Amino acid sequence: MGSVPRDEPSGVSLSRVAETDQRPPGREVLHMLAPQASDCNTCVVYGDDVGQSLLDQVEDAERELRAAAEADRAGGPDGSDADLQRYFDEVIAADQKIEPRDWIPEAYRKGLVRQIAQHAHSEIIGMQPEGNWISRAPSLKRKAILLAKVQDEAGHGLYLYAAAETLGVAREELVQMLLDGRQKYSSIFNYPTLTWADIGAIGWLVDGAAIVNQVPLCRCSYGPYARAMIRICKEESFHQRQGFEILYTLANGTGAQRRMAQDAVDRWWYPSLAMFGPPDTASTHSEQSMAWKIKRFSNDDLRQRFVDMCVQQASVLGLAIPDPDLRWNAERGSYDFTDPDYDELFRVIKGNGPCNRQRMAYRHRAYDDGAWVREAAAAHAAKRRAEAA
Ligand SMILES: [Fe+2]
Ligand SMILES: [Fe+2]
């Protein structure tokens, strides 16, 4: 798919503003754009509008992916172990993509299976906190949007399980590892959704953090994962916009609605910052992952990028980020901010968050309830095979 020009409010371009000013666009410009943004759900104001937008990066990654597929791959391996490794290293160094047909080191395979499976599990478990509000959405329109969003998350899980399967692991095996607790999902989904505003905060902050994390993965060295991420990121950008739009509506509503929106942002801010993982000094998988071009930026770099993006957007919402120490640092060209409580992050990862038990109990129940579907599908496939034989 080629590059499609995106809607931009007439007469004002954030990218033009960003070019003439070292600081991200100011509150005034964003306020001018906000009313127009509410009429236009592809408007640039919702995404990362500082400089090159996140969606532009996804499109660049898609172009790179096509170029890598068309580029000549000189000197295939001669089959010896040393040559297989040489070829793998060369493909990575040349920014080409590793495909399922290629030999890969076992540690690369294992690391990717762990990461992609954890990502797939997060998409599936992540349907629960929002699914909680489908039957209580405040209007038919909100309900339809939320249904579509939760369904998108199921689709993301499926793309990712399919990508993991190209590494020689069965989806059934991965699902079992989630159910046994041998594989994890993102700690963010162990927090409860207490009010309708939480659906807005999840879209704005949780999907927003997911995009910042995932856009660089569109350039990951493993082709099937990179391709899945391109599709996912395009959908995630809409998730972020729908969350922003819910909060924008509440923040401009009655006093009670405004307080509800602020309360949700207060509760989701630090868990969203924790989504980028432990600080670089305590991150165990990062270095190798960067050398293999799976991960492109460190946890702390991505967290900073997210904070810088959110400060501008919070000013459009007119909601406060719950951090008294948040301030612009002209020297660094970024905002200083308070780190999340990493002890809490580790407690939640270990299974002691507010909803860990509930989320897993629900997943077990859904898996058990679906047993008859799996049995029927297997019986049907066996019958088709027998008929064909
Ligand atoms: Fe998703
Ligand atoms: Fe999402």
Side-chain angles (χ1 to χ4, degrees), residues 31 43 67 121 155-156 199 207 269 273 275 293 299 325 374 381:
H31 272 292
C43 179
H121 301 327
H156 297 172
I199 303 304
D207 290 274
W269 174 251
L273 289 189
M275 282 175 72
K293 296 186 182 169
N299 294 355
D325 296 322
R374 292 190 296 278

Short mmCIF file of all heavy atoms in Angstrom, two decimals, residues 31 43 67 121 155-156 199 207 269 273 275 293 299 325 374 381:
data_model
loop_
_atom_site.label_atom_id
_atom_site.label_comp_id
_atom_site.label_asym_id
_atom_site.label_seq_id
_atom_site.Cartn_x
_atom_site.Cartn_y
_atom_site.Cartn_z
N HIS A 31 -4.48 24.08 20.99
CA HIS A 31 -5.84 24.49 21.31
C HIS A 31 -6.61 24.94 20.08
O HIS A 31 -7.79 24.67 19.93
CB HIS A 31 -5.85 25.60 22.37
CG HIS A 31 -5.86 25.03 23.75
ND1 HIS A 31 -6.95 24.36 24.24
CD2 HIS A 31 -4.92 24.99 24.70
CE1 HIS A 31 -6.66 23.93 25.46
NE2 HIS A 31 -5.43 24.29 25.76
N CYS A 43 -7.11 13.24 12.21
CA CYS A 43 -6.34 14.47 12.36
C CYS A 43 -5.04 14.23 13.11
O CYS A 43 -4.98 13.45 14.04
CB CYS A 43 -7.17 15.48 13.12
SG CYS A 43 -6.29 16.99 13.35
N ALA A 67 11.66 -2.99 0.33
CA ALA A 67 12.97 -2.87 -0.31
C ALA A 67 13.85 -4.05 0.10
O ALA A 67 14.57 -4.62 -0.73
CB ALA A 67 13.63 -1.55 0.08
N HIS A 121 -0.04 -12.67 24.17
CA HIS A 121 -0.83 -12.88 25.39
C HIS A 121 -1.38 -11.54 25.91
O HIS A 121 -2.50 -11.46 26.40
CB HIS A 121 0.02 -13.51 26.50
CG HIS A 121 0.62 -14.84 26.14
ND1 HIS A 121 0.02 -15.74 25.31
CD2 HIS A 121 1.79 -15.43 26.54
CE1 HIS A 121 0.78 -16.81 25.19
NE2 HIS A 121 1.86 -16.66 25.92
N GLY A 155 -7.64 -9.63 17.18
CA GLY A 155 -6.94 -9.81 15.90
C GLY A 155 -5.43 -9.65 16.08
O GLY A 155 -4.65 -10.43 15.52
N HIS A 156 -5.00 -8.69 16.89
CA HIS A 156 -3.56 -8.50 17.12
C HIS A 156 -2.96 -9.76 17.74
O HIS A 156 -1.87 -10.18 17.37
CB HIS A 156 -3.30 -7.31 18.05
CG HIS A 156 -3.76 -6.00 17.49
ND1 HIS A 156 -3.76 -4.84 18.21
CD2 HIS A 156 -4.24 -5.68 16.27
CE1 HIS A 156 -4.22 -3.86 17.46
NE2 HIS A 156 -4.52 -4.35 16.28
N ILE A 199 -11.74 3.83 30.22
CA ILE A 199 -11.66 3.39 28.82
C ILE A 199 -10.95 4.46 27.99
O ILE A 199 -10.12 4.17 27.13
CB ILE A 199 -13.08 3.08 28.26
CG1 ILE A 199 -13.75 2.01 29.13
CG2 ILE A 199 -13.04 2.64 26.80
CD1 ILE A 199 -12.98 0.72 29.30
N ASP A 207 -2.72 2.44 25.03
CA ASP A 207 -2.48 2.23 23.60
C ASP A 207 -1.41 3.19 23.11
O ASP A 207 -0.62 2.85 22.22
CB ASP A 207 -3.77 2.38 22.78
CG ASP A 207 -4.74 1.22 23.05
OD1 ASP A 207 -4.61 0.18 22.39
OD2 ASP A 207 -5.59 1.35 23.93
N TRP A 269 -1.53 6.86 34.82
CA TRP A 269 -0.29 7.48 34.35
C TRP A 269 0.95 6.63 34.69
O TRP A 269 1.71 6.23 33.80
CB TRP A 269 -0.15 8.90 34.92
CG TRP A 269 1.19 9.53 34.60
CD1 TRP A 269 2.22 9.78 35.46
CD2 TRP A 269 1.62 9.98 33.30
NE1 TRP A 269 3.28 10.35 34.80
CE2 TRP A 269 2.94 10.49 33.47
CE3 TRP A 269 1.06 9.98 32.04
CZ2 TRP A 269 3.68 11.00 32.40
CZ3 TRP A 269 1.79 10.50 30.96
CH2 TRP A 269 3.08 11.00 31.16
N LEU A 273 3.65 4.41 32.38
CA LEU A 273 5.11 4.63 32.29
C LEU A 273 5.85 3.32 32.54
O LEU A 273 6.90 3.06 31.95
CB LEU A 273 5.57 5.66 33.32
CG LEU A 273 5.19 7.12 33.12
CD1 LEU A 273 5.93 7.99 34.13
CD2 LEU A 273 5.50 7.59 31.71
N MET A 275 4.97 0.48 31.61
CA MET A 275 4.86 -0.43 30.46
C MET A 275 6.15 -0.52 29.66
O MET A 275 6.33 -1.46 28.89
CB MET A 275 3.76 0.06 29.51
CG MET A 275 2.37 -0.26 29.96
SD MET A 275 1.16 0.48 28.84
CE MET A 275 1.32 -0.53 27.37
N LYS A 293 18.97 -6.28 16.33
CA LYS A 293 18.00 -5.35 15.73
C LYS A 293 16.55 -5.81 15.89
O LYS A 293 15.74 -5.67 15.00
CB LYS A 293 18.34 -5.10 14.26
CG LYS A 293 19.68 -4.41 14.09
CD LYS A 293 19.96 -4.04 12.66
CE LYS A 293 21.33 -3.39 12.54
NZ LYS A 293 21.76 -3.26 11.16
N ASN A 299 14.61 1.01 26.94
CA ASN A 299 13.37 1.27 27.69
C ASN A 299 13.26 2.74 28.09
O ASN A 299 12.21 3.36 27.97
CB ASN A 299 13.34 0.43 28.97
CG ASN A 299 13.25 -1.06 28.67
OD1 ASN A 299 13.12 -1.46 27.51
ND2 ASN A 299 13.33 -1.89 29.71
N ASP A 325 6.79 17.06 39.58
CA ASP A 325 8.15 17.38 39.13
C ASP A 325 8.31 17.37 37.62
O ASP A 325 9.44 17.39 37.10
CB ASP A 325 9.15 16.39 39.77
CG ASP A 325 9.17 16.54 41.27
OD1 ASP A 325 9.08 17.71 41.73
OD2 ASP A 325 9.25 15.52 41.99
N ARG A 374 -12.90 -26.35 19.88
CA ARG A 374 -11.66 -26.97 19.40
C ARG A 374 -11.90 -28.42 19.02
O ARG A 374 -11.41 -28.90 17.99
CB ARG A 374 -10.57 -26.86 20.48
CG ARG A 374 -10.10 -25.44 20.73
CD ARG A 374 -8.86 -25.38 21.61
NE ARG A 374 -9.12 -25.88 22.96
CZ ARG A 374 -9.68 -25.15 23.94
NH1 ARG A 374 -10.02 -23.89 23.72
NH2 ARG A 374 -9.88 -25.67 25.14
N ALA A 381 -11.94 -31.40 10.77
CA ALA A 381 -10.72 -31.52 9.97
C ALA A 381 -10.40 -32.99 9.70
O ALA A 381 -10.01 -33.36 8.59
CB ALA A 381 -9.56 -30.83 10.69
#
